[in-house]
Amino acid sequence: MSELLFYLDIFGTIVFALSGALMAGRYKLDPFGVVVLASVTAVGGGTIRDLILQTPVFWVEKPYYLYVILITSLLTIIFVRQPKRIPKRFLLIADALGLALFAVVGAQKSLALGAPMPVAIVLGTVTGVAGGMIRDVLCNVIPMILRQEIYALAAMIGGGLFAVLSYFGWSENNAIIVSVTAALLLRLAAIYWRVSLPAFQIVEKENNP
Amino acid sequence: MSELLFYLDIFGTIVFALSGALMAGRYKLDPFGVVVLASVTAVGGGTIRDLILQTPVFWVEKPYYLYVILITSLLTIIFVRQPKRIPKRFLLIADALGLALFAVVGAQKSLALGAPMPVAIVLGTVTGVAGGMIRDVLCNVIPMILRQEIYALAAMIGGGLFAVLSYFGWSENNAIIVSVTAALLLRLAAIYWRVSLPAFQIVEKENNP
Amino acid sequence: MSELLFYLDIFGTIVFALSGALMAGRYKLDPFGVVVLASVTAVGGGTIRDLILQTPVFWVEKPYYLYVILITSLLTIIFVRQPKRIPKRFLLIADALGLALFAVVGAQKSLALGAPMPVAIVLGTVTGVAGGMIRDVLCNVIPMILRQEIYALAAMIGGGLFAVLSYFGWSENNAIIVSVTAALLLRLAAIYWRVSLPAFQIVEKENNP
């Protein structure tokens, strides 16, 4: 794993842990509940990716990820409390950062382990979206991916662009920077201007026998 | 894998992807969200089965399953939109087909990999119900298995009957046809006539200290 | 696995299966739905633990766990129906017992398989809380871990105390008894007196662009 990738992976862990801790603050969890929700959000996607790739789970091999999450949770509890009221958008932006970073990191790891390109794109998407999905499902909130603003597309762009650029021989670092930036800008733009793609909507009628 | 089994597995993937895409249409997802929900529904059960069996996950080995889901999602978006209003029962029937097919396919794969019979029945049930469960949980809907109409039983009948018939030396194809048909008819009958088994119901009283 | 550990593991399976069956009774599931919900609750945590440890899943290797769950479900249906009304606290207490037992059993298995201490504490917590989480998520109920009473802490105390006592050379049986008791008393006290830790609560304000 290149140095850039390592720092981005840690940064993704921090922002997803932050998003989990912020969600925990909405639900008035105690500090240990905060740590659990932050952990699930931060490692959920990568854990599923590693299980599916049948490679050792990253935080079992490198337990320092757990300390990163612990420290992020504690700092969130200490510092986010100070301003009393934080903008609602904080959680969305932390989630967007994590989404973009993990989608690319996930695709990179999958390709490095020999997965074919479509599988790598799917596993990148899984890495990017699954942690936040579990966070939202546990909190009984409709997951962000099921709301209208561009979310699934941003994750797929992240992993997909990385896979394509790597395929065309870009250096890993350049491919990472471009694909993370593309996914992040797309998602942030969707949040900021509330952009959505045209929805697929069906109307169902009851049809009694 | 016999040819029959292969076609049924693909057909199960198609109908579960369809059920996920239809559910996505209820929630007005954008096309990429439709693909995600269709994928989760179609591969969720088999992925959990393969992880538990510690065998390579089927769609990582054979990525064409992903193309099948992609094409199904696109066709659903294109064609289901045309009639404007579709019967509500469409999703239920697609789910029933997938349930019956995957319960038998899951039990077959488990037995073929050497799992003992009770484990094969459980993993057949998991294969049949887990994808739809994840679909429903993500959409914040009570999973079908927790509603009264015969659902868990249909999945167990599918896998169980296949396991028993194989044990008694039936040819694989005959065992598949009989057990898929039994599970499907049972579930469709339950949907059509709204049949339920007698429920286990408890009444709880508050008991303050 | 020591004899004590074996019996506690079976007992944990029974009480979690009971908690799943009681929840099924609230939702008026049919007997097969009861078995499914009891199974998911009883094996969910241990299955995720074994997958993450990449060791064979316990109930695939030892299918008698499935019979224990089946019998517990049937006995629950038969006997819990008799008194017509049971105290609401039954489910909470069964869940607390399972939580304490599985957190310690999970930490022990992780350490025995060579996991470092922080990973063992996390996997103990996962073993203790995941089954109940899945049960609650399937029933569209906010998981107990996200309510205020001490829950995550109890699970961490269970696994953490066991890991620490083992590290300091205590005999396995003594370490098990002390850590299960500590986790259980903590959780039961929190249920009984409705004790909570101080919550982390944030106030968010809308921040339109």
Side-chain angles (χ1 to χ4, degrees):
Chain A
M1 194 186 263
S2 76
E3 213 175 334
L4 175 66
L5 206 60
F6 171 77
Y7 286 118
L8 292 181
D9 197 27
I10 294 291
F11 187 57
T13 304
I14 292 172
V15 293
F16 261 137
L18 174 65
S19 88
L22 289 176
M23 184 71 99
R26 272 192 201 169
Y27 282 78
K28 302 175 200 156
L29 299 197
D30 67 40
F32 298 91
V34 175
V35 172
V36 169
L37 201 60
S39 307
V40 165
T41 311
V43 308
T47 303
I48 296 177
R49 173 201 62 210
D50 289 350
L51 292 179
I52 289 176
L53 287 170
Q54 270 148 352
T55 189
V57 176
F58 68 104
W59 55 269
V60 171
E61 282 212 306
K62 304 171 193 154
Y64 55 75
Y65 282 94
L66 303 176
Y67 300 121
V68 169
I69 294 166
L70 198 62
I71 293 168
T72 306
S73 304
L74 296 180
L75 292 179
T76 309
I77 292 176
I78 294 169
F79 287 108
V80 174
R81 236 175 184 170
Q82 303 296 6
K84 289 295 181 207
R85 320 188 86 226
I86 60 158
K88 199 166 184 180
R89 207 151 283 183
F90 255 46
L91 198 159
L92 277 179
I93 292 169
D95 185 89
L97 260 168
L99 178 77
L101 289 166
F102 276 9
V104 174
V105 169
Q108 189 278 339
K109 182 163 186 180
S110 306
L111 288 172
L113 286 167
M117 202 194 280
V119 172
I121 297 174
V122 169
L123 286 177
T125 306
V126 165
T127 315
V129 307
M133 254 187 191
I134 302 174
R135 176 198 63 212
D136 293 346
V137 163
L138 287 177
C139 295
N140 218 350
V141 166
I142 301 269
M144 294 192 185
I145 203 165
L146 296 191
R147 302 187 215 149
Q148 277 181 306
E149 284 149 13
I150 293 163
Y151 192 92
L153 175 59
M156 289 179 199
I157 289 279
L161 201 55
F162 176 81
V164 169
L165 296 179
S166 302
Y167 182 79
F168 284 115
W170 283 44
S171 79
E172 193 176 87
N173 282 3
N174 287 347
I176 289 169
I177 291 167
V178 169
S179 48
V180 168
T181 308
L184 183 60
L185 287 183
L186 188 59
R187 176 76 186 124
L188 287 181
I191 294 175
Y192 194 75
W193 288 294
R194 301 186 187 267
V195 183
S196 319
L197 299 175
F200 167 52
Q201 179 178 5
I202 55 175
V203 185
E204 288 170 311
K205 57 175 198 286
E206 279 292 349
N207 184 17
N208 290 317
Chain B
M1 194 186 261
S2 76
E3 212 174 337
L4 174 65
L5 208 58
F6 172 78
Y7 287 118
L8 292 181
D9 197 27
I10 294 290
F11 187 55
T13 303
I14 292 172
V15 292
F16 261 136
L18 173 65
S19 87
L22 289 177
M23 183 71 97
R26 272 191 201 170
Y27 282 78
K28 303 173 200 156
L29 300 196
D30 67 40
F32 298 89
V34 175
V35 171
V36 169
L37 200 60
S39 305
V40 164
T41 311
V43 307
T47 303
I48 297 177
R49 173 202 63 210
D50 289 350
L51 291 179
I52 289 176
L53 286 170
Q54 270 146 352
T55 189
V57 175
F58 68 102
W59 54 270
V60 172
E61 284 213 306
K62 302 171 195 155
Y64 54 76
Y65 281 95
L66 303 176
Y67 301 121
V68 169
I69 294 166
L70 198 63
I71 293 167
T72 306
S73 305
L74 296 180
L75 292 179
T76 308
I77 292 176
I78 294 167
F79 287 110
V80 174
R81 236 175 183 173
Q82 304 296 6
K84 290 293 182 206
R85 320 186 88 227
I86 59 158
K88 199 166 183 178
R89 206 150 286 182
F90 255 45
L91 196 159
L92 277 178
I93 292 169
D95 185 90
L97 259 168
L99 178 78
L101 289 166
F102 275 7
V104 174
V105 169
Q108 190 278 340
K109 181 162 188 182
S110 306
L111 288 172
L113 287 167
M117 203 195 279
V119 172
I121 295 173
V122 168
L123 286 177
T125 306
V126 165
T127 314
V129 307
M133 255 187 191
I134 301 174
R135 176 198 62 213
D136 293 347
V137 163
L138 287 178
C139 294
N140 219 350
V141 165
I142 301 269
M144 294 193 184
I145 202 166
L146 296 191
R147 301 186 216 152
Q148 277 180 310
E149 283 150 13
I150 293 163
Y151 193 90
L153 176 58
M156 291 181 200
I157 289 281
L161 200 56
F162 176 82
V164 169
L165 295 180
S166 302
Y167 182 80
F168 284 115
W170 282 45
S171 79
E172 194 177 87
N173 281 2
N174 286 347
I176 289 169
I177 291 165
V178 168
S179 47
V180 169
T181 308
L184 182 61
L185 288 182
L186 189 58
R187 176 75 188 127
L188 288 181
I191 293 174
Y192 194 76
W193 288 295
R194 302 188 185 264
V195 183
S196 319
L197 298 176
F200 167 53
Q201 179 178 6
I202 57 174
V203 184
E204 287 170 309
K205 56 176 196 287
E206 280 291 349
N207 184 19
N208 290 318
Chain C
M1 194 187 262
S2 76
E3 213 175 333
L4 175 65
L5 208 59
F6 172 77
Y7 286 119
L8 291 181
D9 197 29
I10 295 290
F11 188 55
T13 304
I14 292 172
V15 292
F16 261 135
L18 174 64
S19 88
L22 288 176
M23 184 70 98
R26 274 193 199 167
Y27 282 78
K28 302 176 200 153
L29 300 197
D30 67 42
F32 298 90
V34 175
V35 171
V36 168
L37 201 59
S39 306
V40 164
T41 312
V43 308
T47 303
I48 296 177
R49 175 201 60 212
D50 289 351
L51 292 179
I52 289 176
L53 287 170
Q54 270 148 350
T55 190
V57 175
F58 68 102
W59 56 268
V60 172
E61 281 212 306
K62 302 170 194 155
Y64 55 75
Y65 281 94
L66 302 176
Y67 300 122
V68 169
I69 294 165
L70 197 63
I71 294 168
T72 305
S73 304
L74 296 180
L75 292 179
T76 308
I77 292 176
I78 294 168
F79 286 110
V80 174
R81 235 173 184 174
Q82 303 295 6
K84 289 294 182 204
R85 318 188 89 226
I86 60 158
K88 197 165 184 180
R89 206 150 285 183
F90 255 46
L91 195 159
L92 277 178
I93 292 170
D95 184 90
L97 260 169
L99 178 77
L101 290 165
F102 274 8
V104 175
V105 168
Q108 190 277 339
K109 181 163 188 182
S110 306
L111 289 172
L113 287 168
M117 204 194 276
V119 172
I121 296 173
V122 169
L123 286 177
T125 306
V126 166
T127 316
V129 308
M133 254 186 192
I134 301 174
R135 175 198 63 212
D136 293 346
V137 163
L138 287 177
C139 294
N140 218 349
V141 165
I142 301 269
M144 294 194 184
I145 204 166
L146 296 190
R147 301 187 215 152
Q148 277 181 308
E149 283 148 13
I150 293 163
Y151 193 90
L153 176 58
M156 291 179 198
I157 288 279
L161 201 56
F162 176 82
V164 169
L165 295 179
S166 302
Y167 182 79
F168 284 116
W170 282 45
S171 79
E172 192 175 89
N173 281 3
N174 287 346
I176 289 169
I177 291 166
V178 168
S179 49
V180 168
T181 309
L184 183 60
L185 288 182
L186 189 59
R187 175 77 187 125
L188 288 181
I191 294 174
Y192 194 76
W193 288 296
R194 301 187 186 263
V195 184
S196 320
L197 298 176
F200 167 54
Q201 181 178 2
I202 56 174
V203 184
E204 287 169 310
K205 56 175 197 288
E206 280 291 350
N207 185 17
N208 289 319

